[in-house]
Amino acid sequence: DMTDEQLDKAKSKIQYHEEKFKSAGYITKSNVEFHKGFIEDLSQIPSNSVDVVISNCVINLSPDKSKVFSECFRILKQGGELYFSDVYSDRRIPVQLQQDKVLWGECLTGAMYTEDFRRLMDKIGFVDHRVVSSSVITVNNAKIQEQLGNIRFFSTTVRAFKISTLEDRCEDFGQKATYKGTETDFPHAFFLDDHHTFITGYPLAVCGNTADMITQSRYAKHFTVTPRKTHQGLFDCSSSTKSSGGCC
């Protein structure tokens, strides 16, 4: 965090949570550290050293989102994952609204237009990011709603992998993935994103990108994935009968 007050508050809770997690058998010693800094500059963290980066509705407040995502990409290991929730808009926010401190502070006008977000992620290297969930944000303040006009906002959870083999489109290599049911607390099914639910023991047709996401990440040991066959073109999303769609 960039504020001493927040850091002091967080550090004051370390012992409490350490004792709770020790008693539950999850840890033997504290595995949490708090550092002062800005999310646009993670230089204190070595490149290719992190398994997972998480964030909850703060990236929209950054004036340099490209730098934030670039730093996340840099520090992640190959196969690492950026998993975060944030606010997005259905169009580009006019400059005059971005300059309104109240609207920005309400986590609204710092939101990225969804298509600009997609383009930025692709440019940085987070190819084929996946939406886990998304819901419309309701603005209940009449004055703020009048200022915003027809702009719609969404609260969206995204997962993006640092995997060099991912392609910009979902390609069909005739692969199937089977979840073993071995992930802790998920014995019956594994939820990858809003259109991939893997039922334990049930082979599911997947595109090359999805296969790489689960075989080149920390989830690899929980899946069996068939090898790539002859390329068949773009993946047919309708072939994934046990999910709500495909990865396209």
Side-chain angles (χ1 to χ4, degrees), residues 32-241:
V32 176
E33 295 179 2
F34 294 98
H35 297 272
K36 187 174 183 179
F38 294 88
I39 58 175
E40 298 87 358
D41 179 11
L42 303 177
S43 56
Q44 58 189 305
I45 302 176
S47 299
N48 305 304
S49 65
V50 175
D51 295 306
V52 184
V53 175
I54 61 174
S55 173
N56 186 22
C57 200
V58 294
I59 297 177
N60 72 88
L61 295 171
S62 171
D64 191 347
K65 297 171 181 61
S66 177
K67 185 63 175 175
V68 174
F69 291 121
S70 294
E71 280 289 83
C72 290
F73 190 83
R74 177 187 65 79
I75 67 175
L76 281 173
K77 299 176 182 177
Q78 187 65 209
E81 179 182 357
L82 170 61
Y83 190 96
F84 71 106
S85 296
D86 223 299
V87 180
Y88 301 89
S89 61
D90 69 345
R91 64 200 70 190
R92 292 169 181 151
I93 309 295
V95 174
Q96 67 269 23
L97 294 181
Q98 294 183 42
Q99 294 174 341
D100 187 304
K101 293 182 180 180
V102 173
L103 296 179
W104 188 280
E106 289 290 337
C107 295
L108 291 172
T109 56
M112 289 191 70
Y113 168 44
T114 51
E115 290 304 305
D116 286 341
F117 168 69
R118 176 185 59 79
R119 296 182 183 101
L120 177 60
M121 294 291 275
D122 285 351
K123 179 181 178 180
I124 289 171
F126 284 121
V127 180
D128 192 16
H129 71 273
R130 300 296 176 85
V131 172
V132 177
S133 62
S134 186
S135 58
V136 176
I137 295 175
T138 301
V139 179
N140 296 315
N141 185 297
K143 181 180 179 180
I144 291 179
Q145 183 62 71
E146 183 179 355
Q147 290 177 276
L148 297 174
N150 293 322
I151 303 172
R152 298 178 70 210
F153 295 91
F154 306 89
S155 174
T156 303
T157 299
V158 168
R159 67 185 343 150
F161 292 90
K162 181 179 178 178
I163 296 175
S164 60
T165 56
L166 297 181
E167 301 185 85
D168 62 340
R169 296 292 300 275
C170 298
E171 303 291 345
D172 189 352
F173 295 95
Q175 292 176 279
K176 290 189 175 182
T178 305
Y179 175 53
K180 300 177 182 179
T182 51
E183 178 70 280
T184 304
D185 298 327
F186 296 94
H188 306 298
F190 179 84
F191 181 76
L192 179 68
D193 53 43
D194 64 359
H195 50 278
H196 286 93
T197 298
F198 294 90
I199 306 302
T200 299
Y202 185 94
L204 182 69
V206 294
C207 70
N209 280 354
T210 298
D212 286 352
M213 288 176 188
I214 57 181
T215 58
Q216 297 186 41
S217 69
R218 67 188 189 280
Y219 304 118
K221 63 183 179 180
H222 302 294
F223 284 86
T224 299
V225 180
T226 59
R228 287 192 175 194
K229 300 178 183 178
T230 303
H231 180 232
Q232 299 297 315
L234 286 175
F235 184 77
D236 179 8
C237 299
S238 64
S239 67
S240 296
T241 57

